C-alpha cells in the first residue's frame, strides 16, 4: 500500500509521531496505529505513556468531533477499532510491566441493550490505568452480573446503558445485589449517554460516570477509600 | 396496483398514523430489557387493547407490535426460532382491531433495524440482512398486514436491504429514518440524502419520511428538508412526544396533547401528509392530533423560528443550521492523498 510519497512513521520525531497517530486514529487507520505503537515502544516509551498520550488523547479528539456532529458513528467505530488494535499490543505489556494491579472490575451493558462502544472505551481505559477488567459484553441479565461477581469477586461493578428503555434495568441489578446482601461489598458505577447524576442516585448506584476518564478517576478514588478503610480498620 | 394506503390518501388527503408502542407497553407492565414482541403471544389482549385505544383516538394507520421482531434482535432473548410466528401474531392482532373498526384502518407491519451494523462496520452482509427481513415480512404478510412499515432506520444500506426484502415478498412499503445526530442519522446521512435515495428505489416506496429521533421540533425540521428534496413524495412525520426527562428513576416525555396538536399542524404545513407520534405518544395525545388534522387550514411552510415558537427549541440542531458547516480535522499528512477507507462517509452513491 505504501507509495513513495507516504509518510514514514519511523522517520518522525516522537512529538510528530504522536501527532500523526492522533490523525491516524481520527482516520481509523488500524495498521498505522499498530505501527506507531510499536515504534514508540521500541524507542523506550512505557506502555502506559504510549496508551495515554498517543491513543487515549487521540480518542478524546474523536469524541469531541463526534459530540459536535462532525464525525458520525462509522468514523467513530473505525477509530475505536484502530484503538483496539493498538490496545491489543499494549494490554499484555501493561500487565507485565506491573503497572500495579489497582483493583478488579466486572463491567457489562445491561439486558436488552447492545450498545458497547462506550463500555469498550471504559474497559480499555480502566485496563490502561491498571485495573483488571472482566468484560461481560452486551445484553446482560441480572444473573450474568451475579455469576460474574461470585466468580471474580470484583471491587467494582460497572453497568452501561444507552437506551431510556434499558436504563431502569440497572436498578434491577442493584436491587438483586441488595437482596443477596452483597450491595455494600461492591462499588456500583453506572454510565451511558442518557444517564445523569440524579438517576444514578435514584436507583442506588454509588456514582455516575460521565465518560471513561471520569470512570477511571472515580474507580481509583473508591479503591483509595477502600484501601484507607482497610488500613484504618 | 394501488395499495390500500394510496386509496385512503387519495380519498382523505391527510391521514393519521398511531402513537408509541414501546412506551405505552411499559405503562401496561412491560419490564425494562424484555422483548415487547413476546407479548404478541403471551399478552394478546393488551396488544389488541393498545391498538383499539389508538383506533378509538382516530388513527387511520396502526403499526404492528413487531419493531424488533427479526431474528437478530430476538436472539438477544433467545426467541429467534419464533420470528415468523411472533410477526404473524403481531399482524393478526392489528388486523382484528382494524376489521372491527367500522371504517378503513390500515395495518402497517412495523420493521425496525436488525440492531447489527453492516459490513465493514459490523458483522452483517447486506444479503444476510435481506434474508433476516424476508423472514420477518413473510410473517407479517401471513398475519394480514396491508403494507410494510420500515422505520427508525439510520443506515442507507440497511434501508436498501429492507426494501429489497419487501419487494421479494411482494408487499408495498413505506420507509422512515431517524435523524437524531446533529440533524442527520447516526450514520451521518442527511434527510436530503435519505429522501433522494428512497425516492429512486424501484419499486418506489408508497411513502417516506422521518420518525423518532430527539423531539418533535427536530423532526419537523428534518421533514422540511425531505419535502424540499422530494416535493412529490408522500411524506410521513412520526415524531416523539417531546423529549424524555427523568423524574426520579422514571422517564417522562415533555410533550402535552396541546403541543402534539401544534406539532401535527406544523407537520402538515411542512408538507407531510401522514402524521403520527413515536415514543411517548399516548392515545390521549393522538386524539388531540386527530382534531388538529381534521380542522387545520394549511399554512405557509414553517421556518425554524416558527417551529421553536410553537413547540420549542431543537434538541440536537445540525451544526449547519445557519453557520458554516464544521469540517473534519486531521487527515493524514501525506504528500499525495491516498484514498482513505472512511473518507467518503456512508452516504448513498448512485447505486
Ligand atoms: C463504569 O461504567 C461505565 C462508566 C462510564 C460509561 C459506561 C459505563 N458506559 C458509558 N460510559 C461513558 O463513557 C463512555 C466513553 O466516554 C461514554 O459512552 P457513550 O456510549 O455515551 O459514548 C460512546 C463513546 C459513543 N456513543 C455511542 O457509541 C452511541 C452512539 C449512538 C449513535 C448509537 C449507536 C452507535 C448505535 N445504536 Co443506538 N445509538 C445511539 C447513540 C446516539 C448518540 N449520538 O449518542 C442511541 C443511544 N441509540 C438509540 C436507539 C434508539 C437505538 N440504537 C440502536 C442500535 C445502535 C447501533 C447498533 C446501530 C449502534 C451501536 C453499535 C455498538 N456496537 O455499540 C437500537 C437499539 C438496539 C438495542 N437493543 O440496544 C436503537 C433502538 C435503534 C433502533 N431503532 O433499533 C437512541 C436512544 C434513544 C433513547 N432515548 O433511548 C440514541 C440516543 C440515538 C438517538 N438519539 O435516538 C459515556 O457515556
Amino acid at each position: 500500500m505504501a507509495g513513495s510519497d507516504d509518510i514514514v512513521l519511523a522517520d518522525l520525531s516522537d512529538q510528530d509521531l504522536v501527532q500523526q497517530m492522533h490523525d491516524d486514529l481520527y482516520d481509523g487507520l488500524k495498521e498505522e496505529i499498530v505501527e506507531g505503537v510499536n515504534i514508540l515502544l521500541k524507542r523506550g516509551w512505557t506502555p502506559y505513556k504510549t496508551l495515554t498520550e498517543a491513543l487515549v488523547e487521540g480518542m478524546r479528539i474523536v469524541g469531541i468531533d463526534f459530540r459536535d456532529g462532525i464525525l458520525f458513528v462509522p468514523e467513530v467505530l473505525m477509530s475505536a477499532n484502530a484503538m483496539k488494535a493498538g490496545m491489543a499490543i499494549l494490554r499484555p505489556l501493561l500487565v507485565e510491566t506491573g503497572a500495579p494491579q489497582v483493583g478488579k472490575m466486572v463491567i457489562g451493558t445491561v439486558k436488552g441493550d447492545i450498545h458497547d462502544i462506550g463500555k469498550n472505551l471504559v474497559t480499555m481505559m480502566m485496563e490502561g490505568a491498571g485495573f483488571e477488567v472482566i468484560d461481560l459484553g452486551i445484553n446482560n441479565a441480572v444473573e450474568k452480573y451475579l455469576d460474574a461477581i461470585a466468580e471474580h469477586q470484583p471491587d467494582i461493578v460497572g453497568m452501561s446503558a444507552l437506551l431510556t428503555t434499558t436504563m431502569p434495568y440497572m436498578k434491577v441489578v442493584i436491587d438483586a445485589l441488595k437482596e443477596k446482601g452483597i450491595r455494600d461489598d461492591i462499588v456500583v458505577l453506572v454510565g451511558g449517554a442518557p444517564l445523569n447524576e440524579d438517576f444514578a442516585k435514584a436507583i442506588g448506584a454509588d456514582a455516575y460516570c460521565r465518560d471513561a476518564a471520569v470512570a477511571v478517576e472515580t474507580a481509583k478514588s473508591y479503591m483509595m477509600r477502600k484501601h484507607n478503610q482497610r488500613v484504618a480498620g | 396496483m394501488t395499495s390500500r394506503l394510496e386509496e385512503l390518501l387519495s380519498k382523505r388527503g391527510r391521514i393519521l398514523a398511531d402513537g408509541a408502542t414501546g412506551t405505552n407497553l411499559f405503562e401496561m407492565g412491560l419490564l425494562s430489557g424484555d422483548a415487547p414482541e413476546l407479548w404478541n403471544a403471551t399478552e394478546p389482549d393488551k396488544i389488541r387493547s393498545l391498538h383499539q385505544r389508538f383506533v378509538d383516538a382516530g388513527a387511520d394507520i396502526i403499526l404492528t407490535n413487531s419493531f424488533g421482531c427479526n431474528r437478530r434482535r430476538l436472539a438477544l432473548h433467545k426467541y429467534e426460532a419464533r420470528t415468523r410466528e411472533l410477526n404473524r401474531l403481531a399482524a393478526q392482532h392489528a388486523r382484528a382491531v382494524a376489521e372491527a373498526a367500522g371504517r378503513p384502518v390500515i395495518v402497517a407491519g412495523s420493521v425496525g433495524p436488525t440492531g447489527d451494523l453492516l459490513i465493514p462496520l459490523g458483522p452483517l452482509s447486506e444479503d444476510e440482512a435481506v434474508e433476516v427481513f424476508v423472514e420477518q415480512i413473510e410473517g407479517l404478510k401471513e398475519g394480514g398486514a396491508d403494507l410494510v412499515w420500515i422505520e427508525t432506520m439510520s443506515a442507507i444500506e440497511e434501508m436498501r436491504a429492507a426494501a429489497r426484502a419487501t419487494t421479494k415478498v411482494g408487499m408495498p412499503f413505506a420507509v422512515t429514518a431517524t435523524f437524531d445526530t446533529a440533524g442527520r442519522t447516526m450514520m451521518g446521512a442527511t434527510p436530503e440524502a435519505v429522501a433522494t435515495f428512497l425516492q429512486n428505489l424501484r419499486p418506489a416506496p408508497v411513502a417516506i419520511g422521518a420518525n423518532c429521533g430527539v423531539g418533535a421540533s427536530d423532526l419537523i425540521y428534518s421533514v422540511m428538508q425531505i419535502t424540499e428534496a422530494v416535493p412529490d413524495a408522500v411524506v410521513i412525520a412520526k415524531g416523539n412526544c417531546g423529549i424524555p426527562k427523568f423524574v426520579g428513576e422514571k422517564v417522562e416525555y415533555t410533550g402535552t396533547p396541546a403541543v402534539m396538536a401544534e406539532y401535527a399542524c406544523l407537520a402538515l404545513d411542512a408538507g407531510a401528509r401522514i402524521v403520527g407520534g413515536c415514543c411517548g405518544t399516548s392515545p390521549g395525545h393522538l386524539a388531540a392530533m386527530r382534531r388538529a388534522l381534521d380542522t387545520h387550514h394549511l399554512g405557509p411552510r414553517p421556518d425554524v423560528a416558527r417551529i421553536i415558537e410553537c413547540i420549542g427549541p431543537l434538541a440536537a440542531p445540525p451544526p449547519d443550521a445557519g453557520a458554516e458547516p464544521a469540517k473534519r480535522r486531521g487527515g493524514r499528512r501525506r504528500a499525495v492523498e491516498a484514498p482513505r477507507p472512511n473518507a467518503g462517509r456512508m452516504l448513498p452513491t448512485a447505486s
Side-chain angles (χ1 to χ4, degrees), chain A residues 1 5-7 9 16 19-20 23-24 26-29 32 61 64-66 68-75 77-78 81 111-114 138-139 164-169 171 194-196 198-199 202-203, chain B residues 26 31-34 73 75-77 114-117 120-121 181-182 184-189 244 246 248-251 253 319 326-336 338-343 345-346:
Chain A
M1 252 192 50
D5 290 321
D6 276 353
I7 292 168
L9 291 180
D16 284 347
Q19 283 276 325
Q20 185 59 53
D23 286 351
D24 287 352
Y26 194 93
D27 286 342
L29 302 178
E32 285 78 355
I61 299 168
I64 290 171
D65 278 9
F66 175 65
D68 292 345
I70 299 167
L71 297 181
F72 291 85
V73 170
E75 292 96 330
L77 277 172
M78 298 292 281
N81 280 343
K111 181 173 166 188
D113 202 320
I114 60 174
I138 57 173
N139 186 38
T164 45
T165 51
T166 54
M167 292 166 49
Y169 197 77
K171 181 162 186 290
L195 276 70
N196 59 29
D198 290 344
F199 177 79
I203 61 166
Chain B
F26 282 118
L31 293 179
S32 170
D34 284 351
R73 289 285 279 274
L76 292 179
H77 310 274
T114 59
D116 276 319
L117 296 159
L121 295 170
T181 310
R184 305 189 191 198
T185 73
M186 65 185 168
M187 307 311 274
F246 287 100
E249 67 197 59
K250 275 231 154 65
V251 182
Y253 281 80
K327 284 213 181 64
R328 287 176 58 99
R329 58 177 120 197
R332 213 153 198 252
R333 284 163 294 189
R334 288 168 201 265
V336 175
R340 272 181 250 123
N342 59 337
R345 102 178 17 130
M346 303 182 66

Side-chain angles (χ1 to χ4, degrees), chain A residues 112 114-116 118 160 163-164 192 210 212, chain B residues 67 73 115 152 180 186:
Chain A
I114 60 174
H115 294 88
D116 67 357
S160 185
L163 299 171
T164 45
R210 180 166 34 86
Chain B
F67 175 77
R73 289 285 279 274
T152 327
D180 55 22
M186 65 185 168

